[in-house]
Amino acid sequence: MPVKALNNHIGGVVQFKPVEEIRDFLQKFAEPMNIEIVDVEFDKHTDTLTVFIETENGVDLDTCEKFHNAINDPIDEFDPSGGLPYTLNVSSPGLDRPFKSRRDFERNLKKEVEIKLFAPLKGTKFIEGVLTSFDDNTVTVDTGREELKISFNKIAKINKAIKFD
């Protein structure tokens, strides 16, 4: 095994390049397809690299397949795993994915969100309401009864509210 590959393969687990580096590399393939890369994760137990994508109209299986085909050969040349085998997945982030980026908050302004808190606030650890604003430290949500300004350090998870008709 070459030294580079040996250094990247510690304890039988592939050591991927930093997620930011992988995301930056893939961005040039995503932009022309009007695809936003919302997250890149790797599972050390299965040596799987998963790229989560979003579009203005949502993501379906066809969109995932097209993006997978577009990045499959270039990412192999980029070699995110130091020459060791890995599985590439392209996926929708899912309806209940947590907001991770400023873009997630911008996209969901004036929309209903669900917030799970680490500790109760006004007697509850679950808040549902309309996201009215956010800054680097807080989110503001209109619950219909009151407007709450909640510090990010109190939020365990915030995501789009899921409504079934």
Side-chain angles (χ1 to χ4, degrees):
M1 183 178 285
V3 174
K4 179 180 174 188
L6 181 61
N7 288 338
N8 286 335
H9 197 270
I10 300 168
V13 177
V14 173
Q15 298 295 307
F16 284 94
K17 288 182 179 178
V19 167
E20 298 79 23
E21 191 176 335
I22 297 169
R23 180 183 291 128
D24 289 347
F25 174 78
L26 294 175
Q27 197 61 44
K28 62 185 166 197
F29 301 97
E31 285 176 6
M33 298 175 75
N34 295 316
I35 289 174
E36 178 185 352
I37 298 171
V38 294
D39 204 4
V40 176
E41 294 179 352
F42 54 90
D43 183 329
K44 294 178 182 181
H45 302 291
T46 62
D47 295 337
T48 301
L49 176 65
T50 303
V51 181
F52 294 96
I53 62 171
E54 185 68 81
T55 71
E56 288 298 319
N57 299 320
V59 176
D60 59 14
L61 190 57
D62 189 46
T63 306
C64 290
E65 182 180 9
K66 284 178 183 172
F67 190 64
H68 186 282
N69 290 338
I71 67 171
N72 194 46
D73 290 339
I75 201 164
D76 280 346
E77 290 177 28
F78 176 70
D79 193 18
S81 65
L84 294 169
Y86 66 95
T87 301
L88 173 64
N89 288 329
V90 175
S91 178
S92 159
L95 292 175
D96 66 343
R97 76 175 175 87
F99 298 170
K100 293 186 175 188
S101 69
R102 182 171 193 81
R103 178 74 180 110
D104 290 335
F105 287 92
E106 290 168 353
R107 185 185 302 117
N108 288 285
L109 269 174
K110 309 297 180 211
K111 295 183 181 172
E112 288 189 54
V113 296
E114 298 174 344
I115 301 174
K116 292 180 180 77
L117 302 170
F118 290 114
L121 175 69
K122 298 190 177 200
T124 185
K125 289 176 72 175
F126 181 79
I127 297 168
E128 192 170 54
V130 175
L131 178 64
T132 58
S133 67
F134 69 94
D135 59 34
D136 291 338
N137 302 309
T138 62
V139 296
T140 304
V141 179
D142 183 350
T143 67
R145 293 183 310 281
E146 63 184 323
E147 196 164 85
L148 297 173
K149 191 170 194 170
I150 307 167
S151 177
F152 278 117
N153 64 2
K154 295 181 181 203
I155 298 173
K157 180 181 178 186
I158 181 170
N159 58 274
K160 191 175 190 175
I162 302 169
K163 301 288 184 185
F164 295 100
D165 295 330

